[in-house]
Amino acid sequence: MNDSNRYILTIKCPDRAGIIHRVAGALLEVDGNVLEQAQFTDEDSGVFCMRTKFESPVADLDAVRTVVNSRVMSLGPELTLRHEAEHRRAMILVSKHDHCLLDLLYRFGNGELPIDIPVIVSNHDHCREIADRYRVPYFYLPVNPDNKAAQEARVLELIEEYSIDVVVLARYMQVLSSDFCEKMAGRVINIHHSFLPGFKGARPYQRAHERGVKLIGATAHFVTGDLDEGPIIEQSVERVNHAHTTADLVEIGRDVERVVLSRAVRLFAEDRIILTGQRTVVFA
Amino acid sequence: MNDSNRYILTIKCPDRAGIIHRVAGALLEVDGNVLEQAQFTDEDSGVFCMRTKFESPVADLDAVRTVVNSRVMSLGPELTLRHEAEHRRAMILVSKHDHCLLDLLYRFGNGELPIDIPVIVSNHDHCREIADRYRVPYFYLPVNPDNKAAQEARVLELIEEYSIDVVVLARYMQVLSSDFCEKMAGRVINIHHSFLPGFKGARPYQRAHERGVKLIGATAHFVTGDLDEGPIIEQSVERVNHAHTTADLVEIGRDVERVVLSRAVRLFAEDRIILTGQRTVVFA
Amino acid sequence: MNDSNRYILTIKCPDRAGIIHRVAGALLEVDGNVLEQAQFTDEDSGVFCMRTKFESPVADLDAVRTVVNSRVMSLGPELTLRHEAEHRRAMILVSKHDHCLLDLLYRFGNGELPIDIPVIVSNHDHCREIADRYRVPYFYLPVNPDNKAAQEARVLELIEEYSIDVVVLARYMQVLSSDFCEKMAGRVINIHHSFLPGFKGARPYQRAHERGVKLIGATAHFVTGDLDEGPIIEQSVERVNHAHTTADLVEIGRDVERVVLSRAVRLFAEDRIILTGQRTVVFA
Amino acid sequence: MNDSNRYILTIKCPDRAGIIHRVAGALLEVDGNVLEQAQFTDEDSGVFCMRTKFESPVADLDAVRTVVNSRVMSLGPELTLRHEAEHRRAMILVSKHDHCLLDLLYRFGNGELPIDIPVIVSNHDHCREIADRYRVPYFYLPVNPDNKAAQEARVLELIEEYSIDVVVLARYMQVLSSDFCEKMAGRVINIHHSFLPGFKGARPYQRAHERGVKLIGATAHFVTGDLDEGPIIEQSVERVNHAHTTADLVEIGRDVERVVLSRAVRLFAEDRIILTGQRTVVFA
């Protein structure tokens, strides 16, 4: 049995008895063997979430999907099913700061990040050489007040054209329109350079320095129309002290940002994130 | 449905297709609803591990067990099943250092640690007042070369008498006999004051200071006949520097020790640890 | 030379060349030997901060002070000088949650916290037994809208009466008046149960849960009239996930709170904190 | 006053009263102003260590050195003094794993790492393209049992030729000879991919997996003739669990390794490490 017969299945639906039994029944029907399974029921909202990785001698995705659907469709689930080997496709948006982009591409290049990166978009031309090095098409779409809507429309076209599953804002310094955010809900990941909800908005390191915090952080979250308020995927912090200047915080922060963003992208790449309203269930 | 109808089930058996389906079928049969489920298959050894917390209108433990057994017994599993409300029972062994004992009792007292502590044993009389405060019987069993075997036999009697599930060595400074370790395999948790496998054996903080490490740690592990080599349950570290004396390391280490040990005991209390040879599967 | 001849000196003054030379000259004059010295100049404000621990054959504090003053008084410094063995004196204020109080007293009891705790005050009677165990006088000063001002005045009297250097709010659930905060500026340490500036104000764990953060934290800070906005002394965080309920966050948070508060109190006890406007210099 | 008049001075000598006063006197004589100063006396060995960063209107290094020497030479110190702007010079040795090399070069390129990297040496040709990108000469010196001594001699020649201060083993998979280690004592930094003293020697991630540790780590240390036993400069860890394969540990470990090594190199670049026997004083 080769890797193309490994599947990842996620289900979100209202909780009730017997869901796991139905799924397990479907897997048995395709001679499936569970390799990894996680389940969580949010007691507040009554939402059941599940992620299963299994292998099956049945190689045809549609055949497996038909069996699963026949068992669980009456539950009214949100369901995803795919071959593990058929990677999610990510578009990276970047401005001038290149550390997150470099980090994602490095992990992509060495096989650590199971995702495809078919296209990079930027409002600056700075990172073209990096994209070239990894042979990823690079679209330079400069943004000004007059062309902002048009350029965003162009991004949406590229998303369509390249069959993009997820847009990764790797320090992209443009606010996306509400319309864009709504269309792409749950499919745009941003890295914010603070430990949210502290220091929402601009210049978080400057403000962290002024406030005299003893730890700085970074937050990867889904983007919504409400700036820096989207569902959090991953966070981390690093210790700092009085002797660190704002410039020092920026440097230290780079290390936190790239690790947090790459973790979030990997969680997405492996279908480990399930959105439940304003919160995320992360099967890490 | 009250808490007494919440069950925790763990299964360990050789991996094969359909195990989850069988368990799910058993739960359906008792109108069970899964609250939390985790599964892991160790690809090296081919061992399947699973923990399920579920609720059922069936209040009778034996009735539930009969149904589960009828479905899974042919798998040759190691299986545990209990009412969540029927707590595991811990004996604490302690010498003079009282910080771990105090911490366990504090968490026990405020309901944070879902375990019963019916008895405390010590080779010193120092901690009696603490035991009295929590109204836990305290057995002072001083140990010397001549009575060591007899006192260990007495501990085994107390384990029997108090129906003890797990023995917690909360800085107990006596080495237990191989015989004792074998009899109680997988049921004795020790806290070692180093980040194992570094600094096995005596005086780890002194040796950490001499070696000039920049982090010190603590390790909670199951006890085996092979000193400080038992399966690891939990570890943590804290940053130190050149200015810290050995005495400072001891102080800093106390904080790490008590947190690591209490986490390990809680994991045991909630049936979240499954032993697979020299390693532990921890469904945290 | 015994411990009573160990001194701790701190100086804060506008930066200029030669300050360290003057202090070193003063120490030479009393045959002093530096054991530990740290210095920091805040480039934004031009404030010079220094902490020196030294030993001297001169046992008389006033004699040493005269020598130091003669060298540095023209700098217009804020200066503290004391025998290391003459401990700072802390009043602890507590409400019902006892974990921080217990932790401070435990460290005080085993000699880990070089501070005196001559008095405990509470608006509830719950923690009296704990105070009794450590033989610390316990004042029960219940607070309601009518007597709030009078009870605060009583606290100020007790501060006077017991020669208190620092007031520690160990989960004290009453807001202190601006007047009190101003009188005691730089001498009141609070533990806030969030990673400030996130979740200022009430019910931080509840809000952290709703926001779906992946780390929770605690912050020790000096109290000012501006709630939860005072200078930060110490912070720490712990990882959480979607499966943790608000009650779980409260439990996990307790561990963070007690460690952060005890670190802050110890830093104060050792004269390691120097206030520079809204920020702290911490010579850790 | 421009940056070229910023100096970094370090002194190590037997402890005695008045050292700080002497140094402060020297600085006054060159109209110096201390920007940052740290001091530590190791009570076990009686060794006094100090690092001072100061600015002075005197631009001539030799002039400043003469003044400092005249004041402190009688103490028999090990002393370093340099313009802050005159960077330490590092040779990087690498084999096939490029993550540490890339990380060092990235930080070097963006100005974060105040060091010069005039030459890279490798026993493989794999990383040449990376070196080219940063325009650093790359010497491919393949090693086999017959030419090992000759190639090491060649490395020493390059060290001479490029006036190298520090050799950084950025995952260099060759053991250096005792002779080399002795000649370069205190000037060769290695990254070991475990939390020393655990898992010394080969295949640490494999052994960490077998042992079932719950944290993995990395250690930057000075190289001595005694493999993986040299003085530790910096360490860090990352949490892992039972589900991580050895390959996962390698991936997670890469992040730890590159951060730990770059921190250690930066500490060296800023003259913040002072060796005291088997331990390091790190003025972080």
Side-chain angles (χ1 to χ4, degrees), chain C residues 94-119:
Chain C
V94 66
S95 293
K96 290 183 184 172
H97 296 298
D98 62 7
H99 56 287
C100 286
L101 173 67
L102 271 169
D103 190 65
L104 290 169
L105 288 172
Y106 181 73
R107 295 177 200 270
F108 163 67
N110 72 15
E112 181 180 331
L113 198 58
I115 206 162
D116 289 342
I117 302 178
V119 59

Side-chain angles (χ1 to χ4, degrees), chain A residues 98-99 102-103 106-107 110-112 129 133 238 241 248 251 254-255 258-259 262-263 266 284, chain D residues 98-99 102-103 106-107 110-112 129 133 238 241 248 251 254-255 258-259 262-263 266 284:
Chain A
D98 62 5
H99 56 286
L102 271 169
D103 191 66
Y106 182 73
R107 294 177 200 268
N110 72 15
E112 181 180 330
E129 190 200 324
R133 199 184 306 153
E238 194 62 53
N241 64 43
D248 292 332
E251 269 180 33
R254 275 199 290 262
D255 282 341
R258 60 183 188 177
V259 167
S262 70
R263 275 192 205 147
R266 183 172 178 163
Chain D
D98 61 7
H99 56 287
L102 270 169
D103 191 65
Y106 182 73
R107 294 176 201 269
N110 71 16
E112 183 179 328
E129 189 200 323
R133 198 184 307 152
E238 194 62 53
N241 64 43
D248 292 333
E251 268 180 34
R254 275 202 289 263
D255 282 342
R258 60 183 188 177
V259 166
S262 71
R263 275 191 204 148
R266 183 172 178 163

Side-chain angles (χ1 to χ4, degrees), chain B residues 98-99 102-103 106-107 110-112 129 133 238 248 251 254-255 258-259 263 266, chain C residues 98-99 102-103 106-107 110-112 129 133 238 248 251 254-255 258-259 263 266:
Chain B
D98 61 7
H99 55 288
L102 270 169
D103 191 65
Y106 181 74
R107 294 177 201 269
N110 71 16
E112 182 180 330
E129 189 200 324
R133 199 185 306 153
E238 195 62 54
D248 292 333
E251 267 179 36
R254 275 200 289 261
D255 283 340
R258 62 183 188 177
V259 167
R263 276 191 204 148
R266 183 171 178 164
Chain C
D98 62 7
H99 56 287
L102 271 169
D103 190 65
Y106 181 73
R107 295 177 200 270
N110 72 15
E112 181 180 331
E129 189 201 323
R133 200 185 305 152
E238 195 61 55
D248 292 333
E251 267 180 35
R254 276 200 288 263
D255 282 342
R258 61 183 188 177
V259 167
R263 277 192 203 147
R266 183 172 178 162

Side-chain angles (χ1 to χ4, degrees), chain A:
Chain A
M1 197 180 304
N2 66 28
D3 274 1
S4 68
N5 292 350
R6 292 197 164 201
Y7 294 88
I8 300 177
L9 167 71
T10 72
I11 293 178
K12 179 170 77 170
C13 61
D15 189 31
R16 46 170 290 187
I19 305 175
I20 294 173
H21 188 251
R22 289 178 185 219
V23 173
L27 299 201
L28 261 192
E29 197 174 328
V30 296
D31 285 325
N33 189 34
V34 170
L35 299 167
E36 194 184 336
Q37 179 161 307
Q39 171 273 340
F40 174 72
T41 301
D42 184 52
E43 303 205 10
D44 296 342
S45 62
V47 171
F48 171 95
C49 302
M50 182 173 170
R51 175 187 183 271
T52 304
K53 183 166 131 184
F54 62 95
E55 49 188 2
S56 160
V58 181
D60 181 35
L61 177 66
D62 287 331
V64 174
R65 198 195 315 270
T66 301
V67 170
V68 171
N69 279 350
S70 71
R71 302 265 184 159
V72 304
M73 257 315 155
S74 64
L75 302 168
E78 290 179 38
L79 183 150
T80 71
L81 177 70
R82 63 172 174 102
H83 282 295
E84 188 186 24
E86 193 156 308
H87 288 177
R88 298 287 178 196
R89 295 167 64 81
M91 165 191 283
I92 302 181
L93 287 181
V94 67
S95 292
K96 291 182 183 171
H97 296 298
D98 62 5
H99 56 286
C100 286
L101 173 67
L102 271 169
D103 191 66
L104 290 169
L105 288 172
Y106 182 73
R107 294 177 200 268
F108 164 66
N110 72 15
E112 181 180 330
L113 198 59
I115 205 163
D116 289 341
I117 303 178
V119 59
I120 295 168
V121 172
S122 179
N123 58 331
H124 293 279
D125 210 28
H126 291 62
C127 296
R128 182 180 297 278
E129 190 200 324
I130 295 167
D132 287 352
R133 199 184 306 153
Y134 285 89
R135 296 181 187 80
V136 180
Y138 184 88
F139 290 82
Y140 167 39
L141 301 181
V143 174
N144 60 49
D146 292 338
N147 74 356
K148 193 171 166 63
Q151 295 294 50
E152 218 180 73
R154 181 74 186 113
V155 172
L156 282 169
E157 282 173 19
L158 290 169
I159 287 170
E160 189 72 19
E161 194 175 319
Y162 284 93
S163 305
I164 295 303
D165 294 301
V166 64
V167 174
V168 179
L169 308 184
R171 298 300 308 271
Y172 183 63
M173 311 308 271
Q174 293 288 327
V175 175
L176 299 168
S177 71
S178 302
D179 195 48
F180 186 100
C181 294
E182 215 163 294
K183 268 198 193 93
M184 295 291 296
R187 294 171 57 200
V188 183
I189 296 175
N190 183 46
I191 180 73
H192 184 72
H193 39 314
S194 85
F195 184 76
L196 290 175
F199 308 120
K200 280 182 273 194
R203 298 184 311 113
Y205 291 125
Q206 175 69 35
R207 288 150 64 209
H209 182 262
E210 286 161 12
R211 184 65 185 86
V213 294
K214 302 303 184 187
L215 297 168
I216 58 166
T219 304
H221 63 96
F222 284 118
V223 172
T224 62
D226 203 353
L227 193 66
D228 299 334
E229 288 285 6
I232 293 169
I233 300 166
E234 173 64 344
Q235 301 187 289
S236 187
V237 295
E238 194 62 53
R239 184 159 280 269
V240 297
N241 64 43
H242 60 270
H244 289 112
T245 62
T246 299
D248 292 332
L249 300 193
V250 169
E251 269 180 33
I252 294 167
R254 275 199 290 262
D255 282 341
V256 186
E257 291 166 31
R258 60 183 188 177
V259 167
V260 168
L261 181 59
S262 70
R263 275 192 205 147
V265 172
R266 183 172 178 163
L267 290 168
F268 189 97
E270 300 180 347
D271 292 356
R272 293 183 183 277
I273 315 171
I274 296 183
L275 254 171
T276 56
Q278 271 306 100
R279 308 173 79 240
T280 59
V281 170
V282 176
F283 292 125

Side-chain angles (χ1 to χ4, degrees), chain D:
Chain D
M1 196 181 303
N2 66 26
D3 275 2
S4 68
N5 291 350
R6 292 196 164 201
Y7 294 89
I8 300 177
L9 168 71
T10 72
I11 293 178
K12 178 170 79 170
C13 62
D15 189 31
R16 45 168 291 188
I19 304 175
I20 293 174
H21 189 251
R22 288 177 185 220
V23 173
L27 298 202
L28 260 193
E29 197 175 326
V30 296
D31 287 324
N33 189 35
V34 170
L35 298 168
E36 195 184 336
Q37 180 162 307
Q39 171 273 342
F40 174 72
T41 301
D42 184 52
E43 302 205 12
D44 296 341
S45 61
V47 172
F48 172 97
C49 302
M50 181 173 171
R51 177 188 182 270
T52 305
K53 183 166 132 183
F54 62 95
E55 49 189 1
S56 159
V58 181
D60 181 36
L61 176 66
D62 287 331
V64 174
R65 198 195 316 270
T66 301
V67 170
V68 171
N69 279 350
S70 72
R71 301 264 184 160
V72 305
M73 258 316 157
S74 63
L75 302 168
E78 289 178 38
L79 184 150
T80 72
L81 177 70
R82 64 173 174 103
H83 283 295
E84 187 187 22
E86 194 156 307
H87 287 177
R88 297 288 177 198
R89 296 167 65 81
M91 166 192 281
I92 302 180
L93 287 181
V94 66
S95 293
K96 290 182 183 172
H97 296 298
D98 61 7
H99 56 287
C100 286
L101 173 67
L102 270 169
D103 191 65
L104 290 169
L105 288 172
Y106 182 73
R107 294 176 201 269
F108 164 66
N110 71 16
E112 183 179 328
L113 199 58
I115 206 162
D116 288 342
I117 302 177
V119 59
I120 295 168
V121 172
S122 179
N123 58 331
H124 294 280
D125 211 28
H126 292 60
C127 297
R128 182 181 296 279
E129 189 200 323
I130 296 167
D132 287 351
R133 198 184 307 152
Y134 285 89
R135 297 182 187 77
V136 179
Y138 184 88
F139 290 83
Y140 167 39
L141 302 181
V143 174
N144 61 48
D146 291 337
N147 73 358
K148 193 171 166 64
Q151 295 295 49
E152 218 179 72
R154 181 73 187 113
V155 172
L156 282 168
E157 282 173 18
L158 290 169
I159 287 170
E160 189 71 22
E161 194 176 320
Y162 284 94
S163 304
I164 295 303
D165 295 302
V166 63
V167 173
V168 179
L169 309 183
R171 299 298 311 271
Y172 183 64
M173 310 309 272
Q174 293 288 326
V175 175
L176 299 168
S177 72
S178 302
D179 195 48
F180 187 99
C181 293
E182 212 164 295
K183 267 199 194 91
M184 294 292 295
R187 294 171 58 200
V188 183
I189 296 174
N190 183 47
I191 181 73
H192 184 72
H193 39 313
S194 85
F195 184 75
L196 290 175
F199 307 121
K200 279 183 275 194
R203 298 184 310 115
Y205 292 125
Q206 175 69 35
R207 287 149 64 209
H209 182 261
E210 286 160 12
R211 185 63 184 89
V213 294
K214 303 303 184 187
L215 297 168
I216 57 165
T219 304
H221 63 96
F222 285 118
V223 171
T224 63
D226 203 354
L227 193 66
D228 299 333
E229 288 285 3
I232 293 169
I233 300 167
E234 173 65 345
Q235 301 186 288
S236 187
V237 294
E238 194 62 53
R239 186 159 278 270
V240 296
N241 64 43
H242 60 269
H244 289 111
T245 62
T246 299
D248 292 333
L249 301 193
V250 169
E251 268 180 34
I252 294 167
R254 275 202 289 263
D255 282 342
V256 185
E257 291 166 31
R258 60 183 188 177
V259 166
V260 168
L261 181 59
S262 71
R263 275 191 204 148
V265 172
R266 183 172 178 163
L267 291 167
F268 189 96
E270 299 180 347
D271 292 355
R272 293 183 182 278
I273 314 170
I274 296 182
L275 253 173
T276 56
Q278 269 307 98
R279 307 173 79 240
T280 59
V281 171
V282 175
F283 292 125

